[in-house]
Amino acid sequence: MAEPHAVSAPEPAPAALVISAVAVPPLADGTEGFRDFRDCQAMRRGHELETWGDLDRGYTYAEELEHWRGTEYEARRLFVARLGQETVGMCSVTFPLRENTATAGINVLVEPAFRRRGLGRQLLHYAEAVAQENGRTSLDGYFELPAGLVEGCGPLLPAKSGAGGLPAGDPATVFAAAAGYELEQVETSSRLTLPVPQDRLAELEAAASAHAPDYGLVGWADACPEELVESYAVLNARMSADVPTAGLNWEGEIWDTARVRRNEETLARSGVQALVSAARHQSTGELVAYTVMNWRPGVPAAVLQQDTLVSGGHRGHRLGMLIKLNNLRAAQQRWPTARSVLTWNAAENRHMLAINTLLGFRPAGYEGEWQKRLG
């Protein structure tokens, strides 16, 4: 009797990409049963380590929890992508709720082992569809490259702002441009090594103070004093309107004391400490300039320099330098484990970049700010 012919089993069909909404744990210690959220955080941490070799720019777990809960000012939605049981990527969409209600922030991340398979494009299409379903017609995306990958590394795609550019052949640049996003602006990220010698701080302060006889400095940790909070809210609104945004479809925000306090509470729940230095006009008592630094116990070696603003009518008095010097002194005293400060400035903001250079900041990276208009 003849043997039956051997029949090969059919190859299993490749698993389809499944994209699911991520539930955010309700409490900082409530991680059990929230695999999706933990997987997304692990991907973000992995990306930071892959790109930078440290977590200085990344969110801590407490920050992740607080961020993805959203606020009355911005809704945030997070999605995880899987092929079968493999977690392969994530995407997110953020929706401003009070201003800029035609815009959405888009972010896509694919695990290194699963790149160049078209998964990023699928995730991007999914996030864009979510944005469109929510009536958004202007999409923004951001990513940063280390300075070593940008400086002297071949032709650059120039930003539409006219200042700076990103490597035209970098995979992230190619991906964004191919998807219809335009590079509106480039921000320079800079790093300052700490501690800055006290004699250097004193030298810079002496040179700047001679130009500001009509101003005094005030500062606080974490929460703005009640007698200053209204004036501080006005400065926050000006910051949102005055910061260089090139051709980004972005309008200024409305700030009041409630929004200031909400922001302070969010930072506190996230475990983030803050230092603020401000300049006050002596004759009016109004705050006319401010600068903010943040520090996280989970990332003790890094300080993040946040907003810095000098009101238009008070520029030319070296107030930007004075408030930054005041905050640096306070930061070195309050956070002695910090070894550097990171800051970001639009490439066309030459005045603030010049202040940073005098303080000792050096380029660390370049962040592209991309925009896609749907209507």
Side-chain angles (χ1 to χ4, degrees), residues 224-235:
C224 181
E226 193 62 36
E227 67 272 16
L228 298 176
V229 69
E230 287 188 15
S231 187
Y232 186 46
V234 171
L235 284 185

Side-chain angles (χ1 to χ4, degrees), residues 274-361:
L275 283 171
V276 181
S277 287
R280 181 159 51 183
H281 191 222
Q282 302 284 35
S283 60
T284 65
E286 293 298 309
L287 298 183
V288 298
Y290 78 106
T291 189
V292 182
M293 285 181 169
N294 291 154
W295 179 85
R296 293 81 53 80
V299 194
V303 174
L304 301 181
Q305 169 70 59
Q306 306 290 3
D307 293 354
T308 300
L309 173 76
V310 178
S311 294
H314 298 272
R315 292 171 186 165
H317 299 282
R318 310 287 176 88
L319 297 180
M321 175 64 79
L322 288 169
I323 57 178
K324 284 199 168 193
L325 289 168
N326 198 49
N327 233 24
L328 269 173
R329 282 202 181 91
Q332 292 185 167
Q333 182 174 0
R334 188 181 186 193
W335 305 316
T337 59
R339 292 294 172 261
S340 68
V341 180
L342 279 167
T343 190
W344 288 259
N345 301 97
E348 63 268 32
N349 192 355
R350 300 191 184 280
H351 179 69
M352 196 59 67
L353 285 167
I355 292 174
N356 290 340
T357 298
L358 279 173
L359 288 168
F361 282 89

Side-chain angles (χ1 to χ4, degrees), residues 15 26 60 75 96 112 133-135 139 159 162 207 222 251 253 256 281 300 316 326 336 342 345 350 364 368 373:
T60 64
E133 288 167 3
N134 284 268
L139 311 180
D222 303 322
E251 63 187 13
E253 298 170 345
D256 54 16
H281 191 222
N326 198 49
L342 279 167
N345 301 97
R350 300 191 184 280
R373 298 196 184 206

